[in-house]
Amino acid sequence: MQLNEFLIRFQLQPLSANNITSAPAHFPGREAAVLIPIEQIDDQLYLLLTKRPLHLRHHPGQISFPGGKFEAKDKDAMDTALREAEEEIGLKRNNVTVIGAFPPHKTFTGFTITPIVGIINKPFELVIDPGEVDSCFKVPLNYFKQNENRHLGQHWRKGKLYKVHYMPFEDKFIWGVTAAIIDLLCRHIDN
């Protein structure tokens, strides 16, 4: 899938404008935003993902999108996602065209995460903050678009059973809210 086709498919489906227009009414410290960075390389689209370092308190070692908690200085979820992407991997906000946002996702760990969809305008040099990111890698969007690469399983946590998305890719295991967001993106552009 090329960028023009992606943009047409993405924009054919309605998204709520309210997802990125304001900061949370209160700040208990559990609101967050992530950037879904999409980059066209040659004639193929890629999602850029990060692996969290093992020393982090929340979600150590997991695959994620660049992003993090809302800070008081952030205007909205878009501002949070763009700030975090710049801090974590060196992706400057002026190198991203935001095309929309998905509704916030609640995680079973207590976070509410707003996914912001953005197109990387031109190649950039990764500058990884080792305090927040262990590594960064790209996956062809076409890989995730294939239904056989997206799975739904179950996970027990504190005596409750949850449905959990997961997607193995090469030597990586993408699961949880990141996999759920990827699944939502794929279903959104395939409608």
Side-chain angles (χ1 to χ4, degrees), residues 16-27 31-33 70-81 101-102 104 112-114 116:
S16 171
N18 295 330
N19 292 337
I20 60 171
T21 56
S22 62
H26 56 90
F27 180 50
E31 285 90 2
F70 175 82
E71 293 183 1
K73 65 183 175 184
D74 296 337
K75 295 180 289 197
D76 53 29
M78 181 175 67
D79 199 37
T80 300
F102 287 115
T112 301
I113 301 172
T114 302
I116 305 296

Side-chain angles (χ1 to χ4, degrees), residues 36-42 44-51 63-66 89 91 95 120-128 133 135-144 168-172 174 182:
I36 304 171
I38 300 168
E39 183 176 23
Q40 182 167 322
I41 301 173
D42 297 324
Q44 190 165 187
L45 296 180
Y46 289 82
L47 296 183
L48 192 145
L49 295 157
T50 63
K51 181 177 179 193
I63 305 299
S64 63
F65 288 112
I89 62 170
L91 176 57
N95 192 21
I120 299 173
N121 298 321
K122 61 185 180 192
F124 71 101
E125 181 181 346
L126 279 174
V127 180
I128 292 177
V133 174
S135 60
C136 191
F137 62 98
K138 297 173 187 174
V139 180
L141 180 58
N142 283 334
Y143 173 83
F144 293 125
F169 175 74
E170 295 178 349
D171 63 341
K172 300 174 179 62
I174 304 161
I182 293 169

